[in-house]
Amino acid sequence: MHVVSTVAELRQRLDKQKSVAFVPTMGNLHAGHLHLVELAKQQAKCVVVSIFVNPLQFGANEDLANYPRTLEEDCEKLKLAGVDVVFTPTVETMYPTEQTILVEPPAIANDLCGASRPGHFRGVATVVLKLFNMVRPNVAVFGKKDFQQLFIIREMVKQLNLPIEIVAGETMREPDGLAMSSRNGYLLPGQRVEAQRLHRALQQVVDAIQGGNSDFPALESQTTQYLTQLGWVVDYIAIRSSHTLLPANAEDARLVVLGAARQGRTRLIDNIEFDLH
Ligand code: PAF
């Protein structure tokens, strides 16, 4: 496995590769990331993983400075997983000059997570496009846990005619159902016990809808109230068409229920995609 941090080294390593599968990450890797690596290995002979904590996607009051950086452990895991190249650019490599050209994502980027994180998806789309141009993969793998991110990246690839196939990996969960996330490490012991309730609450919404309840706004506000009473600070609970991410209606065949809520200072997100009919 080669660990490279400049674009020149990266290009040198990838020059003769016929097919490359790429997994972009911000590091602090867990089983969820390794699952994406496994999917990448099924897609191409050469697997590249990037580790870059992207300042452009963090808001002023977010956890950029404290975001867990565990490069050595990450590289050990990636080596064991059979990754070929790890790309660990510095901020100066990614942004040698002020990034004044930005990818403007579609309006849905200002909804759901984007409503409380203005500019977040602009930062994600911009860094992902830059990484795509550096790595030039045939396939790129993203997790479904970040459902809105996946949606926006698919849209970017489609609308900008990028010659890259996007593959989506299922959300990996802890035994109690909590979606794996680098941010789970911030949870205090009591919060960690409570954290699994977000997934359970979303599952209850799915069960209610599949059981015939089609009052989506009521289900959203009841679930918000339920979590709020238990001490969560809820950003949103939303029932959406999984095809458009717009508010769902009873005609949509495939839905997704998404949630974002805080346990203390830790913001957790999760979602469940399901068929209505
Ligand atoms: O999902 C992430 O870890 C990040 O948003 C990504 C896609 C690596 C871009 O920085």
Side-chain angles (χ1 to χ4, degrees):
M1 185 178 87
H2 300 282
V3 182
V4 299
S5 55
T6 67
V7 182
E9 289 171 296
L10 176 69
R11 291 307 326 149
Q12 196 192 356
R13 290 287 165 208
L14 299 180
D15 226 20
K16 294 197 171 51
Q17 295 298 336
K18 287 213 166 56
S19 68
V20 172
F22 175 43
V23 184
T25 81
M26 298 206 299
N28 195 237
L29 304 179
H30 50 66
H33 296 108
L34 299 178
H35 173 63
L36 303 182
V37 168
E38 282 312 309
L39 286 180
K41 283 167 70 181
Q42 293 164 20
Q43 302 293 326
K45 271 223 167 99
C46 174
V47 172
V48 179
V49 174
S50 65
I51 298 180
F52 178 64
V53 182
N54 173 33
L56 216 59
Q57 70 188 74
F58 285 78
N61 301 319
E62 294 184 351
D63 54 348
L64 173 64
N66 301 326
Y67 197 85
R69 288 160 172 89
T70 52
L71 186 58
E72 217 170 294
E73 292 93 315
D74 290 348
C75 285
E76 274 167 32
K77 288 178 188 168
L78 294 175
K79 194 170 174 187
L80 280 175
V83 165
D84 300 280
V85 180
V86 184
F87 180 43
T88 59
T90 60
V91 173
E92 290 69 33
T93 295
M94 287 308 292
Y95 302 114
T97 57
E98 190 191 344
Q99 188 71 33
T100 52
I101 295 185
L102 301 159
V103 177
E104 188 57 43
I108 196 73
N110 302 319
D111 194 3
L112 302 169
C113 285
S116 60
R117 304 188 72 188
H120 170 68
F121 289 112
R122 188 182 302 126
V124 170
T126 302
V127 80
V128 169
L129 181 60
K130 285 173 72 98
L131 288 166
F132 281 175
N133 286 335
M134 292 171 179
V135 177
R136 299 186 211 158
N138 305 83
V139 177
V141 187
F142 292 85
K144 286 190 189 175
K145 197 199 107 205
D146 297 294
F147 198 90
Q148 191 178 7
Q149 168 173 286
L150 174 65
F151 183 89
I152 289 166
I153 286 165
R154 280 194 199 282
E155 215 46 45
M156 175 176 81
V157 165
K158 195 164 69 188
Q159 293 192 24
L160 296 182
N161 303 82
L162 303 180
I164 300 170
E165 185 191 339
I166 301 298
V167 168
E170 292 303 325
T171 302
M172 293 290 110
R173 298 187 179 280
E174 302 291 351
D176 66 357
L178 174 66
M180 288 186 185
S181 162
S182 301
R183 293 194 165 98
N184 292 351
Y186 297 151
L187 294 165
L188 301 172
Q191 295 171 342
R192 171 62 192 85
V193 174
E194 180 60 26
Q196 43 85 31
R197 206 185 297 273
L198 179 60
H199 176 242
R200 291 217 333 239
L202 297 182
Q203 188 58 55
Q204 280 167 12
V205 173
V206 175
D207 294 344
I209 295 173
Q210 288 185 326
N213 189 336
S214 56
D215 190 348
F216 300 156
L219 280 169
E220 290 169 351
S221 64
Q222 281 156 14
T223 308
T224 301
Q225 260 177 36
Y226 166 71
L227 289 170
T228 305
Q229 275 161 12
L230 291 162
W232 291 76
V233 176
V234 178
D235 246 12
Y236 63 83
I237 299 291
I239 301 162
R240 298 292 170 104
S241 150
S242 96
H243 188 59
T244 61
L245 268 191
L246 295 172
N249 60 58
E251 274 81 60
D252 287 311
R254 193 150 174 81
L255 305 187
V256 56
V257 52
L258 308 107
R262 279 168 218 273
Q263 267 296 305
R265 297 175 66 183
T266 307
R267 185 173 183 277
L268 301 176
I269 61 171
D270 203 347
N271 67 81
I272 305 175
E273 205 183 357
F274 63 103
D275 290 321
L276 182 54
H277 304 295

